[in-house]
Amino acid sequence: MSQGDLAAREKNLRAQFKDATTGPHKDLGKAAELKAQLGVVNSEKSARKNATHAPNPEYARHTHKLGAAGLQGEKARQQERLQEATTGVATDPKVAKDARQKLSLIQKEERARAAEVRRGNLPVAQPAKPLSPEQKQKYAKDIRGLSDKDLAARKKHNEATLKDATHGAHKDPIVAERAKAKLNVIAKEMKVREGLKKGPDASYALKQHRAPDAGLQREYARQQERFEEASSGDFRDPKVARDAKAKLAILMEEFDLRGLAPEAEDGTSVDTEGDVVDVDVGGTNEVEDTNGVEDTNEVEDTNEVEDTEEVNAELSKMLTGLGLQVDAASAFLHQEFAD
């Protein structure tokens, strides 16, 4: 990386680290990973600063930028120069001195890299491989949470990597392919954002687009609750119901974009068929309940006293029965005295 690209990389990592530790996309696992990457950047800045104090600063910076294979190739070239300048036909003390100095710088660079590996700041050099479909999906998920400014910086970084891997000093077709793949993912993300910015509620749509999956699920549950309460609860509000319905539609589009579905509190998928109905929120205050039961906004008063006529009828029925029992007893007594 150039100094400018390294500075942009550090700025981007610091922004992500802040977001992963105290921002809306808090993720301690990712924060630890970003902290390690910042450690690598700081080590790189320190190494570049030390190179300026080397006997041959320009060559020290050159060897520091080389990859593992490039550094080994340069080492072999300087060893060959030294051998020819000391034991060959064309001996040259000046060339031999220069070769020794450069080999010393190469050895210093090798020791510095080995120390970085032991500290865990650098991975052991391995051949690059093309991005797998799973890695592309993970990369798309990672950049989704970036701000527009950070996304542009990520694009610039990969463009520089692609240029260097195709036409620069560190040509590598696999690295170039990886950079191309990442740039394609970034282009798709930028296209999605452009579409969201043209939508009816751009700020809300963009905010939810950058939210993690768990945050999107929570927001869906919140808006679903708002809609149900505003359309069929005790505090009906046509305006709130309309707003919640619009936000639910935006959330569903985001779920479709990610290949996900809303989840219930128990973690099962929610069947969204018929969950949000077309509601006439402009005229009457009647809203169709999403469970298919019509609510006419009329509530029966359970404290109302029964009609008086019904009470009287019950009392008469009881008295009539009592009278019949008295008549039967009288008739029995008359019959006894008669006998």
Side-chain angles (χ1 to χ4, degrees):
M1 286 186 181
S2 65
Q3 287 294 104
D5 289 338
L6 186 64
R9 175 65 172 166
E10 182 181 15
K11 185 178 180 180
N12 175 268
L13 287 171
R14 291 193 182 281
Q16 290 187 70
F17 179 75
K18 183 179 179 180
D19 189 41
T21 50
T22 59
H25 311 114
K26 194 171 182 179
D27 187 334
L28 297 182
K30 187 175 181 180
E33 179 183 338
L34 291 167
K35 186 177 181 180
Q37 292 182 40
L38 280 168
V40 174
V41 171
N42 289 330
S43 296
E44 175 64 19
K45 288 169 63 178
S46 179
R48 293 189 182 191
K49 185 178 180 180
N50 292 335
T52 61
H53 302 296
N56 188 339
E58 185 177 352
Y59 186 78
R61 286 192 292 269
H62 170 70
T63 56
H64 179 67
K65 289 181 179 180
L66 293 174
L71 189 64
Q72 290 302 313
E74 179 63 16
K75 183 178 182 179
R77 190 174 76 86
Q78 294 301 331
Q79 287 173 335
E80 184 178 354
R81 284 184 70 215
L82 177 62
Q83 185 176 9
E84 286 185 359
T86 53
T87 60
V89 178
T91 58
D92 190 329
K94 188 176 180 180
V95 172
K97 181 180 178 181
D98 180 72
R100 286 193 184 94
Q101 185 185 73
K102 288 179 177 177
L103 282 169
S104 176
L105 290 174
I106 291 172
Q107 290 172 355
K108 185 177 180 181
E109 177 64 26
E110 288 177 331
R111 288 194 298 269
R113 294 188 186 192
E116 290 293 328
V117 171
R118 286 194 298 272
R119 286 195 292 267
N121 290 339
L122 286 174
V124 177
Q126 293 179 347
K129 296 180 181 179
L131 286 179
S132 66
E134 293 77 17
Q135 287 174 320
K136 290 179 183 178
Q137 289 178 1
K138 184 180 183 303
Y139 189 73
K141 187 175 181 179
D142 290 342
I143 65 173
R144 192 172 59 223
L146 298 177
S147 66
D148 288 350
K149 186 177 180 180
D150 290 337
L151 186 64
R154 188 70 66 90
K155 179 184 178 183
K156 184 179 178 182
H157 166 68
N158 281 287
E159 286 174 340
T161 301
L162 176 62
K163 183 179 179 180
D164 188 44
T166 50
H167 306 294
H170 312 112
K171 291 183 180 181
D172 190 323
I174 301 299
V175 172
E177 185 180 344
R178 288 172 64 89
K180 280 183 181 178
K182 290 181 178 180
L183 285 170
N184 287 336
V185 175
I186 291 172
K188 289 179 182 178
E189 174 64 20
M190 288 182 165
K191 186 176 180 180
V192 168
R193 295 190 184 192
E194 287 302 315
L196 293 176
K197 289 175 183 177
K198 298 175 183 178
D201 193 347
S203 60
Y204 180 80
L206 286 167
K207 181 180 178 181
Q208 298 311 315
H209 177 67
R210 291 178 57 192
D213 293 346
L216 193 67
Q217 295 286 359
R218 288 193 297 269
E219 179 63 14
Y220 181 87
R222 189 176 77 86
Q223 294 300 335
Q224 184 73 14
E225 184 178 356
R226 283 185 71 217
F227 177 79
E228 291 174 356
E229 184 174 294
S231 60
S232 61
D234 294 334
F235 304 99
R236 296 190 181 195
D237 190 327
K239 186 176 180 180
V240 173
R242 186 165 52 246
D243 179 71
K245 179 186 175 183
K247 284 181 167 58
L248 284 168
I250 291 173
L251 291 169
M252 282 308 304
E253 288 182 2
E254 183 62 32
F255 276 119
D256 290 340
L257 181 67
R258 301 187 190 191
L260 300 175
E263 293 180 355
E265 292 183 0
D266 60 358
T268 58
S269 297
V270 175
D271 182 6
T272 57
E273 291 295 328
D275 278 0
V276 181
V277 298
D278 290 330
V279 181
D280 182 7
V281 292
T284 65
N285 197 30
E286 295 182 6
V287 182
E288 183 181 351
D289 186 80
T290 54
N291 294 322
V293 180
E294 185 177 346
D295 187 344
T296 60
N297 203 27
E298 294 178 4
V299 181
E300 183 181 354
D301 188 357
T302 57
N303 296 323
E304 186 176 345
V305 181
E306 295 182 5
D307 191 87
T308 307
E309 293 180 2
E310 294 180 2
V311 175
N312 290 339
E314 284 294 324
L315 288 172
S316 297
K317 191 183 296 183
M318 292 171 63
L319 291 172
T320 301
L322 183 59
L324 290 173
Q325 291 178 5
V326 172
D327 290 343
S330 298
F332 174 76
L333 290 172
H334 279 297
Q335 183 66 38
E336 287 292 320
F337 284 118
D339 294 338

